[in-house]
Amino acid sequence: MMKRIRSSRLALLACLLSTALFAAQTRTWSQGSLIDFEKGVIKNLSLRSDGVLTLAPRSKEFFDTPSMYLWSLARDSKGNVYAGGGSGAKLYRIGADGKGKVLADLDALEIHAIAIDSKDRVYAATAPDGKVYRVSANGKADVFYDPKAKYIWALAFDRQDNLFIATGDQGEIHRVTPDGAGKVFFKCEETHVRSLALDPSGNVIVGTEPGGLVLRVSPAGEGFVLYQMPKKEVTAVAVGRDGSIYAAGVGTRQAPPAPAPAPAPAPAPAQAPGQAAPRPANPAPALTAAPLAVTGGSEVYRIPSNAAPRRLWSSSQEVVYAIAFDPSGRLLLGAGNKGNIYRVESPTVYTVWLTVPATQVTALLPGLDGRLYAATGNVGKVYEIGPGVEPQGSLESDVFDAGSFTEWGRLSFEASLNGGGIAIQTRSGNLDQPQKNWSPWSAPITAAAGGRIASPAARFIQWKATLTAEAGKMPELDSVDTAYLPKNVEPHVDEIEITPANYRFPAALSVTQVQTMALPPLLAAAARTERPAAVAAADSAAAVTPATLTPALQFAKGFLGARWTAGDPNGDALVYTVEIRGVRETQWKLLKDKVPEKYYSWDSTAFPDGEYRIRVTASDAPSNPPAETLTGSLIGDPFTIDNTPPQITGLTAARTGPKLEVRWHAADALNHIAKAEYSLDGGEWTIVVPTTGLSDSLELDYHLVLDAPAGEHTIAVRVEDANANQAVEKTVVQ
């Protein structure tokens, strides 16, 4: 089925943008992406990375062990499955009927690898201080081979029943003949040979740690680096039907420190005749590549025989432990720490194929008739997967918050029924989590064209989709759309501030306000990189950014202004009515109606001096029909209109010898005297301090003593109140 072009996140962004413009219109909650569906509770469904839900493969718990984790699986020709792990190196044998037992309890901490030869003899490798045991059908365990290594990570038989053993911490591969004679087959100069597989030509494919190398070792023991992973540890390798090699890498690989300068060489010691030259203490690695500093997580690469390696899948959090193939040859990945098994469809599409109720999927083993076995950690169990798919599966969506009391409209979905069935139910409530006091699940909606939601009006809603196979026909669910209309809620004005006197806001430009919208990352990229939580907000909201900051004030004598904060719970566009009233008056007088900005200036000289209040009323009329328009108001704190200058009285000047003494009194009816100045004979204005020392009163006295030569002098005084109203007087003295 072709995924629709309109993704659910883009639909939500468009919805948010339309909300700012047409809040009274019906809105849609759309769910149709991997990110959307991952938020819900999935049961018996597979989720593709492009947001398509299908029925998951049939699965069941095949065998439960007392081990905390299992690391390895193997199967003999009779269909018996063998599992091993830790802690405690117990080897389990499980019959085709799912009944099993402990076949052997080995003297070690864990079993990390199991292999079975052509004669159905079972071999188990232990760690630490690794040894390979051969275990008989009756559970008798004998040491088959001791590689003298601390760890054994993997085992594999070739067609001649030679056993290849991947070890650490010396980075060696041992080859052991059927009679138990073995030796080092290849040394890779890495700390660990972490994973191992054989191709049809008998080449050994290995993955290493810490260099993250993928190598091919020929039957003659000649190694060649196929690729150096960006990760430090190659946890799994596998060979596909076409000979391509698949490798999973995990962990951060750090660049090595810069080498120290080489010391001056010491004189070579004398060498006795016939004596071999001494071996360097740290021989140069046989295989090298330039390391890269990368972040953690997992990456899976396909390495073709005749093309460059290509990354097929990556995750910033998941750890891939195992690689296998489904009956169609598609790549399967066992991962943790969510218990997921992934199926990789292409380099751009993958499916969360199955999620098992354990933390890690540590091993995958193909079985008969299209079956697959999966071993898990935390806790150690074996699951049987397939053949066929589950007859029914469901997705319970996350809870949607409409933001306020809301009426629900139609629910519709996009799907390919393919002869199967899809039914979607809803429930609603006024708590953010479904509880017993939510409404019950509604009757199912089964037609893709949709149906009216029967759940009662509320703030929160949730849907549950049930997919059902019918006669082998399997449906695919692409998206679910839920129409809703929040009840209109009145806007609110939260704060009013009067701006300084004698300044005004610039006139608003008569242009249409431009809305902008910032899009989140594309869905495919966001899903594949498992975007961090810090980017999640961009995934669910558009940046709808009309201008909200008030502009700079401009000087304008006699003007006053007000600005305010306001909002609307529905996100409606608002307009404002600004009114004024004297504190002793009873009627509000209109200053301006339908103000689109959150600020306004007016000429205060049209009003008598005195104390006033401003009322701002917000209306959501631009976003609602007249019958549903609501308003909200706030009255600001008292403020003063004062356009009258202070009075100067008692201005006198008297000569006392070479000095002039000047006195005057200043008073204002409404505001404190802010400043006083004098000028002698037309000179520069000079600040005068009142006799009290502080300019903090409605009335102040001033006293000056000036040096002045004999003759006539003119003294001018200027007084200014807190609203910049000025008064000037002068006197002449002989």
Side-chain angles (χ1 to χ4, degrees):
M1 151 175 195
M2 181 178 291
K3 183 72 176 174
R4 64 177 181 176
I5 295 176
R6 179 175 66 94
S7 76
S8 62
R9 285 197 304 157
L10 291 180
L12 177 58
L13 295 177
C15 172
L16 290 173
L17 183 58
S18 67
T19 294
L21 300 175
F22 309 107
Q25 292 188 357
T26 299
R27 311 177 195 179
T28 302
W29 172 42
S30 294
Q31 296 276 274
S33 72
L34 174 86
I35 296 170
D36 294 333
F37 292 149
E38 278 184 330
K39 297 174 184 176
V41 178
I42 297 175
K43 182 179 180 181
N44 295 340
L45 294 178
S46 296
L47 174 57
R48 207 163 68 193
S49 57
D50 58 359
V52 175
L53 283 162
T54 58
L55 290 167
R58 191 188 302 267
S59 65
K60 66 177 182 179
E61 183 181 299
F62 186 60
F63 185 69
D64 186 9
T65 77
S67 298
M68 191 63 189
Y69 48 86
L70 299 176
W71 284 120
S72 183
L73 291 173
R75 182 176 57 84
D76 65 18
S77 62
K78 301 179 183 63
N80 294 308
V81 175
Y82 298 84
S87 56
K90 292 180 172 61
L91 177 67
Y92 302 94
R93 181 172 63 195
I94 312 159
D97 58 0
K99 296 180 179 179
K101 66 176 183 178
V102 176
L103 180 62
D105 193 348
L106 307 178
D107 185 19
L109 182 62
E110 65 179 17
I111 295 172
H112 212 285
I114 304 171
I116 299 175
D117 66 13
S118 62
K119 298 179 180 178
D120 278 347
R121 291 179 294 192
V122 181
Y123 300 78
T126 61
D129 300 323
K131 294 180 176 62
V132 179
Y133 291 84
R134 183 159 65 190
V135 183
S136 66
N138 62 9
K140 185 175 183 300
D142 297 308
V143 175
F144 174 70
Y145 183 73
D146 185 355
K148 308 299 183 186
K150 191 171 184 63
Y151 300 99
I152 297 177
W153 295 112
L155 301 174
F157 280 104
D158 66 10
R159 294 175 180 175
Q160 292 75 40
D161 272 351
N162 294 309
L163 180 62
F164 291 87
I165 305 172
T167 70
D169 52 4
Q170 297 301 315
E172 297 173 340
I173 301 173
H174 292 246
R175 180 169 62 186
V176 187
T177 61
D179 60 3
K183 62 180 180 180
V184 174
F185 169 67
F186 180 77
K187 183 172 178 62
C188 70
E189 303 297 343
E190 285 272 286
T191 304
H192 297 277
V193 178
R194 185 63 182 80
S195 50
L196 180 150
L198 273 72
D199 70 10
S201 300
N203 298 305
V204 182
I205 310 301
V206 300
T208 72
E209 192 271 339
L213 304 181
V214 180
L215 303 98
R216 181 180 62 227
V217 184
S218 71
E222 297 173 344
F224 181 77
V225 174
L226 298 173
Y227 186 57
Q228 181 172 29
M229 302 273 288
K231 303 295 184 181
K232 74 178 217 177
E233 181 179 356
V234 182
T235 53
V237 292
V239 180
R241 293 177 180 179
D242 63 353
S244 296
I245 295 166
Y246 297 85
V250 304
T252 302
R253 179 156 53 82
Q254 301 291 341
Q271 182 174 326
Q275 180 180 353
R279 183 181 179 183
N282 294 295
L287 304 166
T288 61
L292 300 173
V294 297
T295 57
S298 292
E299 294 181 349
V300 176
Y301 279 78
R302 178 177 179 261
I303 308 171
S305 58
N306 57 355
R310 184 174 185 183
R311 189 174 71 178
L312 293 181
W313 183 90
S314 67
S315 169
S316 62
Q317 298 178 356
E318 293 272 51
V319 175
V320 174
Y321 295 99
I323 294 177
F325 301 93
D326 72 1
S328 300
R330 289 173 294 189
L331 185 67
L332 300 176
L333 308 175
N337 296 313
K338 299 177 183 177
N340 287 337
I341 300 175
Y342 294 91
R343 186 179 67 197
V344 180
E345 323 290 343
S346 72
T348 57
V349 178
Y350 66 90
T351 298
V352 184
W353 194 49
L354 182 68
T355 300
V356 299
T359 305
Q360 296 96 10
V361 177
T362 54
L364 297 172
L365 173 69
L368 299 173
D369 303 323
R371 288 178 172 81
L372 180 77
Y373 297 96
T376 65
N378 290 317
V379 292
K381 295 184 179 184
V382 179
Y383 290 87
E384 183 183 77
I385 304 167
V389 299
E390 296 286 354
Q392 191 174 85
S394 65
L395 167 62
E396 191 174 295
S397 76
D398 65 332
V399 173
F400 176 67
D401 181 1
S404 62
F405 190 75
T406 298
E407 290 185 352
W408 314 115
R410 292 181 65 83
L411 182 144
S412 59
F413 58 91
E414 293 188 18
S416 294
L417 295 180
N418 302 323
I422 295 177
I424 302 183
Q425 302 166 275
T426 63
R427 61 179 176 178
S428 61
N430 289 302
L431 294 174
D432 58 0
Q433 291 297 324
Q435 297 183 17
K436 62 182 180 180
N437 52 357
W438 269 47
S439 69
W441 287 111
S442 68
I445 297 170
T446 57
R452 184 69 55 183
I453 295 173
S455 300
R459 174 171 172 171
F460 301 96
I461 195 169
Q462 183 183 39
W463 54 259
K464 179 172 68 175
T466 302
L467 281 66
T468 304
E470 296 180 8
K473 307 293 186 179
M474 293 180 294
E476 296 181 350
L477 177 62
D478 181 77
S479 63
V480 178
D481 290 341
T482 305
Y484 68 101
L485 180 63
K487 287 287 189 180
N488 195 21
V489 179
E490 66 274 6
H492 51 85
V493 181
D494 302 310
E495 184 179 5
I496 300 174
E497 177 187 81
I498 301 299
T499 60
N502 302 310
Y503 284 87
R504 66 174 299 173
F505 293 107
L509 297 177
S510 58
V511 296
T512 302
Q513 189 178 63
V514 176
Q515 302 270 355
T516 64
M517 181 171 66
L519 295 178
L522 290 174
L523 282 176
R528 289 182 61 79
T529 57
E530 295 182 37
R531 80 266 179 253
V535 185
D539 291 338
S540 60
V544 181
T545 56
T548 56
L549 298 177
T550 52
L553 293 167
Q554 301 172 350
F555 180 78
K557 186 69 176 79
F559 271 77
L560 272 177
R563 62 176 183 166
W564 53 89
T565 59
D568 187 273
N570 303 104
D572 292 346
L574 301 176
V575 293
Y576 304 94
T577 299
V578 184
E579 299 168 290
I580 190 170
R581 187 185 72 185
V583 294
R584 293 182 176 83
E585 297 173 0
T586 58
Q587 299 294 320
W588 290 100
K589 284 82 174 177
L590 178 67
L591 285 176
K592 184 69 174 178
D593 196 10
K594 297 180 180 178
V595 178
E597 301 85 15
K598 295 180 181 178
Y599 55 87
Y600 179 69
S601 298
W602 71 96
D603 185 356
S604 70
T605 61
F607 296 86
D609 288 359
E611 201 171 22
Y612 292 83
R613 289 179 183 267
I614 284 288
R615 181 171 73 180
V616 176
T617 301
S619 169
D620 58 11
S623 298
N624 293 278
E628 297 182 17
T629 295
L630 297 175
T631 62
S633 297
L634 181 69
I635 298 174
D637 294 332
F639 64 94
T640 299
I641 290 179
D642 180 9
N643 291 304
T644 302
Q647 291 185 335
I648 299 172
T649 58
L651 176 60
T652 61
R655 177 177 292 281
T656 304
K659 305 286 186 180
L660 287 178
E661 286 193 58
V662 184
R663 299 177 185 271
W664 73 92
H665 179 80
D668 192 270
L670 296 174
N671 278 300
H672 290 172
I673 303 298
K675 184 171 66 172
E677 302 167 293
Y678 78 91
S679 171
L680 179 63
D681 296 330
E684 292 185 357
W685 289 100
T686 304
I687 295 290
V688 182
V689 176
T691 57
T692 60
L694 298 173
S695 298
D696 59 357
S697 301
L698 298 177
E699 297 189 30
L700 293 171
D701 290 308
Y702 296 88
H703 178 213
L704 284 176
V705 177
L706 303 175
D707 292 324
E712 184 180 85
H713 296 282
T714 300
I715 299 99
V717 297
R718 184 168 67 187
V719 176
E720 183 177 297
D721 66 14
N723 275 20
N725 298 306
Q726 292 183 343
V728 180
E729 294 288 344
K730 68 178 181 178
T731 186
V732 178
V733 63
Q734 298 295 330

